[in-house]
Amino acid sequence: MKILLLGQTGQVGFELKRVFSPLGNIVAPTRDQLDLLNKQAVADYLSEHKPSLILNAAAYTAVDKAESEHELASRLNGGLPQQLADYAKQANASLIHYSSDYVYPGQGDQPFDESAPTGPLSVYGKTKLEGDDAVTASGCQHWIFRTSWVYSARGHNFMRTMLRLGKDKTELKVVADQIGAPTPARLIAQVSLLAYLRDIPAGTYHLAPRGKTSWQGFAKAIFSLYRTMGHPLAIESEAVHAIPTADYPTPAKRPLNSRLALTKLEAALDIALPQWESQLEQTLEESIDRETA
Ligand SMILES: NC(=O)c1ccc[n+]([C@@H]2O[C@H](COP(=O)([O-])OP(=O)(O)OC[C@H]3O[C@@H](n4cnc5c(N)ncnc54)[C@H](OP(=O)(O)O)[C@@H]3O)[C@@H](O)[C@H]2O)c1
């Protein structure tokens, strides 16, 4: 089977490349080899390689920058998935695509399920929703996984930023009124493979670990586990102070409630997704292995 992987240098793309490799021949162009902003180049690439499965982990993920780069974000997050889905429909190929909790309006304190009304608060969220809608409307064989707060032992993410800051600073202020589930890229890739192999019904699914926390809670857990694993830090967990979103202004508005209901995916796969805390432990272990290698 020929698999096309887009976004292999990103957090999710890196893990997808590892876990899908037993399934077939993966072609995974880097940005230098294929600029995804270039619609004609993407069309030519699809015609040349004729993949029967596309894993689209590429996206415009700079949430704040997207506010001033709407067109670029729209091409990557909306136009590209549309193009991939149109190809998949006419070539009878399958498409696995990734989306975000930011498509929801973030009100209340209950988890959103996949049928909840959308209502993105940011350009990033709006463009991700454009992509989801286009893939769904295309009629191709597809799975869209909406996930939240992605992190891994590589790349730019909250866990790595906190570890860097926690080695120098003795106090930090972290937002405590945004609630969600931190999701390791590795879990996303593993569950995607399971969903593909079990051929669950096409559609949109939420994919995150069980449980919830705030960014402040996540930061405290990172520091406390890191120390438990025998590694020094300048900061103590108690010195991570809670602040409201209002005290940390950003160009893009973020949802306060990022809780995602997991029942649909758990039922389709007949599994219980793991708790976010156990996933953090595994990801921190991997991060420490990389630091000490
Ligand atoms: N990060 C989060 O917190 C989060 C939360 C919810 C959902 N998601 C979704 O999860 C998926 C994966 O996110 P991620 O965190 O793994 O993303 P990421 O680490 O930012 O990776 C994005 C990938 O897209 C590639 N890319 C962007 N523009 C490109 C272009 N013009 N041409 C070629 N490649 C381009 C990047 O290549 P370069 O390395 O060359 O830039 C990179 O490989 C995305 O759909 C995202 O919307 C992410």
Side-chain angles (χ1 to χ4, degrees):
M1 174 165 60
K2 186 111 172 228
I3 303 168
L4 172 62
L5 166 61
L6 300 178
Q8 66 141 325
T9 53
Q11 300 188 86
V12 173
F14 179 88
E15 303 290 346
L16 285 172
K17 194 170 178 188
R18 286 178 164 187
V19 307
F20 274 79
S21 60
L23 284 195
N25 171 20
I26 300 184
V27 283
T30 60
R31 186 190 286 257
D32 288 347
Q33 293 160 331
L34 177 63
D35 181 358
L36 300 171
L37 290 172
N38 184 335
K39 192 173 176 186
Q40 187 56 50
V42 172
D44 293 345
Y45 201 90
L46 290 168
S47 305
E48 183 188 344
H49 292 278
K50 300 185 178 44
S52 51
L53 170 63
I54 302 173
L55 309 172
N56 181 30
Y60 185 106
T61 55
V63 174
D64 288 315
K65 222 168 145 199
E67 294 297 309
S68 53
E69 292 192 343
H70 195 147
E71 216 173 296
L72 295 184
S74 186
R75 162 64 196 155
L76 256 296
N77 296 343
L80 175 67
Q82 162 106 63
Q83 189 178 5
L84 300 174
D86 290 345
Y87 162 84
K89 175 72 182 161
Q90 61 81 20
N92 206 19
S94 301
L95 172 63
I96 298 182
H97 177 65
Y98 296 94
S99 185
S100 167
D101 52 316
Y102 283 22
V103 301
Y104 297 112
Q107 84 287 13
D109 59 6
Q110 294 304 306
F112 292 95
D113 69 31
E114 290 82 349
S115 62
T118 50
L121 305 174
S122 61
V123 167
Y124 169 76
K126 284 185 187 122
T127 59
K128 290 302 292 181
L129 184 58
E130 282 167 24
D132 293 9
D133 288 346
V135 171
T136 305
S138 72
C140 76
Q141 173 67 7
H142 71 272
W143 297 275
I144 299 170
F145 295 111
R146 286 183 179 154
T147 185
S148 61
W149 298 16
V150 178
Y151 71 106
S152 81
R154 294 169 185 74
H156 299 290
N157 59 65
F158 184 84
M159 182 191 81
R160 282 170 44 90
T161 303
M162 285 301 122
L163 287 177
R164 180 170 43 80
L165 294 174
K167 285 172 188 164
D168 287 339
K169 303 211 181 288
T170 50
E171 285 200 290
L172 283 173
K173 291 178 184 169
V174 183
V175 168
D177 57 357
Q178 293 175 28
I179 307 296
T183 309
R186 189 193 51 252
L187 179 72
I188 296 172
Q190 290 167 336
V191 175
S192 300
L193 178 65
L194 202 54
Y196 179 73
L197 291 177
R198 292 203 185 159
D199 195 23
I200 65 172
T204 300
Y205 295 88
H206 291 161
L207 197 179
R210 284 186 173 193
K212 62 179 190 298
T213 187
S214 66
W215 291 112
Q216 182 213 19
F218 188 27
K220 287 175 116 172
I222 292 166
F223 295 143
S224 139
L225 260 175
Y226 192 77
R227 204 174 252 113
T228 310
M229 289 172 177
H231 295 272
L233 286 168
I235 197 159
E236 300 283 346
S237 291
E238 303 71 55
V240 181
H241 305 295
I243 56 164
T245 300
D247 286 2
Y248 188 73
T250 52
K253 196 169 175 200
R254 285 158 168 78
L256 294 183
N257 179 15
S258 280
R259 296 170 181 86
L260 298 174
L262 304 173
T263 323
K264 185 178 173 188
L265 183 58
E266 290 190 333
L269 288 172
D270 194 21
I271 59 165
L273 284 155
Q275 289 288 330
W276 72 266
E277 293 94 333
S278 66
Q279 292 294 296
L280 172 60
E281 196 173 333
Q282 288 182 11
T283 315
L284 262 182
E285 277 165 2
E286 189 185 348
S287 180
I288 290 165
D289 282 350
R290 277 172 53 78
E291 275 176 33
T292 51

